[in-house]
Amino acid sequence: MLNTSYVLNGTSLVIDEAACVGCGDCLDVCPHAVIALDGGKAWVADRGACMECGACARNCPVRAITVKAGVGCAAAIIQGKLRGTAPSCDCDSGSGDCC
Amino acid sequence: MASRFTPLAGSSRTGTAGLSPSVLPRATPDPDLPGFASLGNRAGPWVSGYLASGTRSVALVSTRLTLRDRFGNLGVRLGVRRNRHRVTAGLYAVGAPNPASPVLVTSNYKLTFDSLRKELAGIDAWILVLDTRGVNVWCAAGKGTFGTSELVAKVSGTRLGEVVEHRELILPKLGAPGVAAREVRLRTGFRVLWGPVLAADIRAYLSAGKRKTAGMSVVRFGLRDRLTLAPIELVHSWPVALAALALGLLLAAPWGAGWMDQALAATVLLEGALLLATLGFPALLFVLPFRAFAPKGAVLGAVWGCIASLALGLPWGLGTGLTLVSTAGTAWIGLNFTGSTTYTSPTGALLEVERSLWPCIATLALGLGISVLSRIIGF
Ligand code: SF4
Ligand code: SF4
């Protein structure tokens, strides 16, 4: 397995164990196997692998997960800073090809 | 081509309510259906015909990439005509699907669409293409264009419920940041199944009864994945390459005896750093020390600068200066590689930008200063 952990990965990921109903949907959508389920409760098993994509939070039926989702792309962040807007990779303007 | 789009009286419409598809190579798309009416003369060469399904006609997609597809895709990789590389959104068919066949959802970025359809030889399926404005699934999901509302709109707009009798949609797993599966089910009755990360695994996924193996579920970021974007990066870095060339020539001033050798040495070092940053950095990503990308790049640039200076026999002052330039440059290009990965978090990338912007600029300025000074004073 490649070491795909990155600085500050998963910092903003919080799972509210009390709210979790153990449906397992968050495990199914996470592309980095960050979350594990034990005794009917989801928990963060591999925080360093979390790229804060927000898939788990969007698909949790009881909103037990919060994560500050966004694009982990330096070019987008710089562009956002220059324009004073939120980071956005300007893919649909036709000029950029960040992804 | 024209005949494909002239209405064929009745042929695709006389079909009774029964959903028994038959291929009508020259049938016309149903003009009443959103997503099909607009296909018209914009149907690409990948549409090999139309399939009648009940009272409907659905564009049939070829699973073979033609030379034209491949050239077009290469062009996109190199950044030419990227904007026009889209597929009309809507419902497509592949093979000879029936109402029980699976529905695969994808984005309308031509490269994504192609990488899916070329995996589908011999498979009968429906492909639902969402309008992501020509952006791949992962980026579009992040922006929300590959999202719940677009999916709901396409499911109802194409009246998918009349084409298939089951109520399942297979989505690429990397689309999950944009799609709330439960909401889709509430609004359309269709259940979202999260398919494999890669289109290449779709065949295995389908034949395993729509079950993912562990390997299909996680993002791998192997050598090939890391290098696919390298050609684009290289082509797009031409202004930097030009600047490096100009700098190399300038540093040979006052162009006395042997200036060519001087210029050549400096240029080789600088262009080499650029090449290394665009090709070597992705290749060595997991070998380089540090977890942050800018320091990884800096290490690469510094090591290269030292080796090249010694090998090319540069005066120590110039060598030091150019090594600093190379360090700053590769750090910066490395930092920008965060946009090409699927594992860097926004919090981390933000931190990196904030921490490395000024050091990069300062190192670059210092390097340029020392280089120029070494040429003037001669050390
Ligand atoms: S934010 Fe993305 S990577 Fe992190 S745990 Fe959730 S789904 Fe996994
Ligand atoms: S999706 Fe939400 S409720 Fe379901 S297991 Fe994950 S955290 Fe718990």
Side-chain angles (χ1 to χ4, degrees), chain B residues 143-178:
Chain B
K143 295 152 92 75
T145 44
F146 189 97
T148 310
S149 50
E150 168 63 8
L151 180 57
V152 169
K154 282 291 173 293
V155 167
S156 48
T158 60
R159 307 211 300 260
L160 186 64
E162 299 171 15
V163 177
V164 294
E165 58 195 18
H166 62 79
R167 289 294 176 263
E168 278 176 3
L169 301 166
I170 298 171
L171 267 67
K173 188 161 161 172
L174 287 185

Side-chain angles (χ1 to χ4, degrees), chain A residues 13 26 29-32 34-35 49-57 67:
Chain A
L13 177 69
C26 51
V29 294
C30 177
H32 287 289
V34 170
I35 304 173
C50 171
M51 59 174 164
E52 301 176 332
C53 67
C56 51
V67 60

Side-chain angles (χ1 to χ4, degrees), chain A residues 14-17 19-29 35-37 40-43 55-65, chain B residues 182:
Chain A
V14 181
I15 301 181
D16 178 357
E17 275 201 25
C20 172
V21 295
C23 68
D25 285 8
C26 51
L27 277 69
D28 195 24
V29 294
I35 304 173
L37 200 61
K41 294 287 177 190
W43 61 286
C56 51
R58 186 172 298 270
N59 281 282
C60 174
V62 291
R63 293 174 195 273
I65 305 180
Chain B
R182 279 164 202 270

Side-chain angles (χ1 to χ4, degrees), chain B residues 27-38:
Chain B
T28 181
D30 192 326
D32 298 329
L33 293 165
F36 300 100
S38 58

Side-chain angles (χ1 to χ4, degrees), chain B residues 268-353:
Chain B
V268 164
L269 190 153
L270 293 170
E271 302 289 359
L274 179 61
L275 208 64
L276 205 61
T278 38
L279 296 176
F281 183 84
L284 298 173
L285 187 64
F286 298 114
V287 180
L288 292 167
F290 301 109
R291 279 191 303 173
F293 283 29
K296 276 179 190 286
V299 168
L300 190 65
V303 169
W304 162 252
C306 293
I307 294 175
S309 302
L310 291 176
L312 295 165
L314 288 176
W316 70 268
L318 187 61
T320 310
L322 290 181
T323 298
L324 288 175
V325 173
S326 153
T327 306
T330 46
W332 186 252
I333 294 173
L335 173 61
N336 276 288
F337 194 68
T338 48
S340 308
T341 72
T342 38
Y343 77 89
T344 51
S345 65
T347 322
L350 180 66
L351 178 88
E352 259 214 81
V353 169

